[in-house]
Amino acid sequence: MATSKTTDIADDVADAAASTGHRAGAQARHAGADLGDTIDRTANAGAGGVRRAARKTVAAHDAAAVEFDGRAESLEDAIRRNPLAAAGAALLIGVVLGRFFL
């Protein structure tokens, strides 16, 4: 009779352990799914931020290129209008740079 009682207790303990294991597994799966959703949301938010930054960078580059082209044309026009002054300025810049770097 003691063996039967011991077997019943062992079966109860095994059932309780299995039940606890199933609950723990379900909770772990649920937590994993929640974590996966959080990672997906974070990744999507990060990708959106990178896309916005890329668009802003392209826009800034385009604006800078347009401004540079305008300034280059302006400088070229000034040189064409006053070639002697441009040559004098270039000579002065060459002397100053030569003085400091040579």
Side-chain angles (χ1 to χ4, degrees), residues 2-42:
T3 304
S4 173
K5 191 173 185 180
T6 304
T7 303
D8 289 342
I9 292 172
D11 287 343
D12 289 344
V13 169
D15 289 343
S19 175
T20 301
H22 289 299
R23 280 194 308 269
Q27 288 174 346
R29 281 189 295 279
H30 182 68
D34 287 347
L35 180 61
D37 291 343
T38 301
I39 290 171
D40 287 343
R41 282 192 306 273
T42 304

Side-chain angles (χ1 to χ4, degrees), residues 76-99:
E76 186 177 329
D77 290 341
I79 291 171
R80 287 182 193 271
R81 282 192 309 265
N82 301 313
L84 288 176
L91 179 63
L92 180 64
I93 290 171
V95 168
V96 169
L97 289 177
R99 176 89 171 136

